[in-house]
């Protein structure tokens, strides 16, 4: 898992992953498909919550090919303060897109759990 998180967070030398841009493009494509006129107006806008970010990134990175069990396991991981980037009394923050991307890329770690 450390490699997948490091990759998604840009900590692997010579590799740059722009997960926020990937997420924004996926969200914009979904909005365009739904007929939204404002589809690409804010390219780096974050989805309202980590669950929406997870769903968008699953569609973008895996074409939606993820088991319900793996989706639910990653969803539980999103409650971890390291992923959510907040403490109990903090206001809501944008989702940690790089960490969510790393969890998705390393989804094989969740098999059998």
């Amino acid at each position: 898992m450390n490699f997948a998180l490091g990759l998604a967070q840009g900590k692997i030398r010579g590799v740059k992953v722009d997960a926020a841009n990937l997420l924004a493009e996926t969200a914009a494509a979904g909005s365009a498909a739904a007929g939204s006129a404002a589809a690409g107006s804010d390219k780096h806008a974050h989805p309202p919550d980590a669950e929406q970010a997870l769903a968008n990134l699953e569609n973008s990175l895996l074409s939606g090919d993820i088991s319900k069990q793996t989706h639910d396991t990653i969803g539980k991981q999103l409650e971890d303060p390291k992923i959510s980037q907040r403490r109990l009394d903090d206001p809501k923050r944008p989702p940690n897109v790089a960490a969510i991307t790393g969890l998705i890329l390393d989804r094989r770690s969740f098999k059998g759990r």
Side-chain angles (χ1 to χ4, degrees):
M1 182 183 305
N2 289 335
F3 178 76
L5 288 172
L7 178 70
Q9 293 173 342
K11 295 181 179 178
I12 305 297
R13 188 177 9 181
V15 177
K16 177 155 176 37
V17 176
D18 190 352
N21 187 38
L22 179 62
L23 178 64
E25 288 177 5
T26 303
S31 295
S36 173
S41 61
D42 188 2
K43 190 174 183 181
H44 291 284
H46 290 286
D49 60 25
E51 275 296 322
Q52 184 62 49
L54 174 60
N56 288 353
L57 287 167
E58 286 171 350
N59 286 329
S60 179
L61 296 170
L62 305 175
S63 298
D65 186 21
I66 190 165
S67 72
K68 179 172 176 16
Q69 178 183 359
T70 301
H71 171 84
D72 291 345
T73 303
I74 293 173
K76 288 178 187 174
Q77 291 289 319
L78 298 179
E79 297 170 10
D80 183 328
K82 291 179 183 178
I83 305 299
S84 65
Q85 301 176 332
R86 63 185 290 243
R87 297 181 187 175
L88 293 175
D89 58 347
D90 284 348
K92 190 169 184 172
R93 295 183 183 192
N96 184 339
V97 176
I100 295 169
T101 301
L103 290 169
I104 291 170
L105 292 175
D106 193 51
R107 70 193 186 281
R108 288 188 204 113
S109 294
F110 302 117
K111 295 222 185 235
R113 286 190 186 176

